[in-house]
């Protein structure tokens, strides 16, 4: 691990911000500017398509994808972000696995509060299934709010009677709209990105008055994860949202789910986006790529069935 790399990123993320809550437009512009600084592999190609009536960014290896699809849900607190802002993450997963990815441009709050995002991600998954893709060749992946969507979309799919994907990969997922995790207090000031007030500001836009005490908003404390596919949850130890991940992992284990909780010390929220400048980011992405490759390989028979 590189203390110098971590310290430099921490200092960059702590640069002074305007006082008080920022407008939606300011939040969106600031996030675009931050994520535009992240490195995107030059061995991928991109193009727009439609999935479940929403735009989706197709990300493929330059030499064509292998069998398997990463259905990706971007981060941004359900208020900002897009497939373009997540391209460093989707691009690195594609480059490291050889799978193609579809990154869904789901609707955002406050214009489209809960449950619009889940409706869109579920529709995207249903569209993949309707196109003939086998669920055993699909994995859900996402970061932050999108990491939460990997879980809630699985819940919604199960409730709708749909088969579940082969695996779930969540980077720093947001999984508790009740904000009852101990880390939301103990990591205040240690987390260089979030404050509790900032989480409540964007969270309130997404809730729009909805009761947070329901599985689709707070799966870390309320969801029944029975029947879920294997999960890999990666999170930084400096995050206010750390306990969202740790508590979901406990629930998954209690439900008999194959779950791996991967906690990296002294790194910020969605640290994987700093690939190329933070050793821990590259190492975490390698572990994530191995997980996806193993899960998709395991989901497909090694040989055709004997007639």
């Amino acid at each position: 691990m590189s203390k110098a790399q971590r310290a430099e990123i921490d200092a960059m993320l702590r640069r002074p911000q305007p006082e008080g809550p920022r407008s939606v437009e300011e939040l969106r512009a600031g996030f675009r500017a931050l994520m535009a600084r992240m490195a995107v592999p030059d061995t991928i190609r991109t193009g727009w398509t439609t999935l479940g009536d929403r735009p989706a960014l197709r990300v493929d290896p330059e030499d064509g994808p292998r069998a398997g699809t990463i259905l990706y849900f971007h981060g941004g607190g359900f208020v900002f972000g897009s497939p373009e802002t997540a391209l460093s993450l989707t691009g690195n997963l594609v480059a490291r696995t050889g799978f193609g990815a579809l990154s869904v441009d789901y609707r955002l709050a406050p214009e489209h509060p809960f449950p619009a995002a889940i409706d869109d991600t579920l529709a995207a998954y249903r569209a993949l299934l309707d196109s003939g893709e086998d669920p055993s060749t699909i994995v859900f992946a996402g970061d932050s709010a999108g990491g939460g969507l990997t879980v809630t979309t699985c819940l919604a799919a199960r409730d709708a009677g749909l088969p579940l994907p082969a695996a779930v990969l969540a980077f720093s997922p947001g999984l508790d709209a009740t904000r009852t995790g101990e880390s939301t207090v103990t990591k205040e000031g240690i987390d260089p990105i979030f404050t509790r007030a900032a989480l409540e500001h964007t969270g309130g836009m997404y809730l729009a008055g909805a009761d947070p005490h329901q599985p689709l908003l707070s799966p870390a404390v309320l969801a029944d994860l029975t029947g879920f596919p294997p999960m890999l949850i990666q999170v930084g130890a400096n995050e206010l949202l750390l306990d969202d991940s740790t508590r979901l992992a406990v629930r998954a284990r209690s439900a008999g789910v194959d779950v791996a909780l991967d906690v990296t010390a002294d790194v910020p929220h969605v640290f994987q986006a700093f690939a190329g400048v933070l050793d821990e980011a590259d190492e975490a992405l390698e572990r994530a790529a191995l997980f996806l490759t193993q899960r998709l390989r395991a989901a497909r028979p090694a040989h055709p069935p004997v007639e």
Side-chain angles (χ1 to χ4, degrees), residues 106-128:
Y106 58 85
R107 290 171 293 167
L108 299 175
E111 297 90 343
H112 304 283
F114 171 80
I118 299 171
D119 289 344
D120 290 349
T121 54
L122 179 62
Y125 180 52
R126 192 188 296 271
L128 276 183

Side-chain angles (χ1 to χ4, degrees), residues 28 31 48 51-57 72-83 85-86 102-109 111-113 115-124 141-150 153 206:
R28 290 173 178 168
F31 190 65
W48 285 97
L51 197 60
D53 295 327
R54 292 297 304 169
L57 185 65
Y72 198 89
F73 309 137
H74 70 80
F78 300 105
V79 172
F80 44 92
S82 69
T85 62
L102 285 161
S103 186
V104 183
D105 192 15
Y106 58 85
R107 290 171 293 167
L108 299 175
E111 297 90 343
H112 304 283
I118 299 171
D119 289 344
D120 290 349
T121 54
L122 179 62
D143 66 280
S144 193
L149 283 169
T150 65
T153 305
Y206 181 56

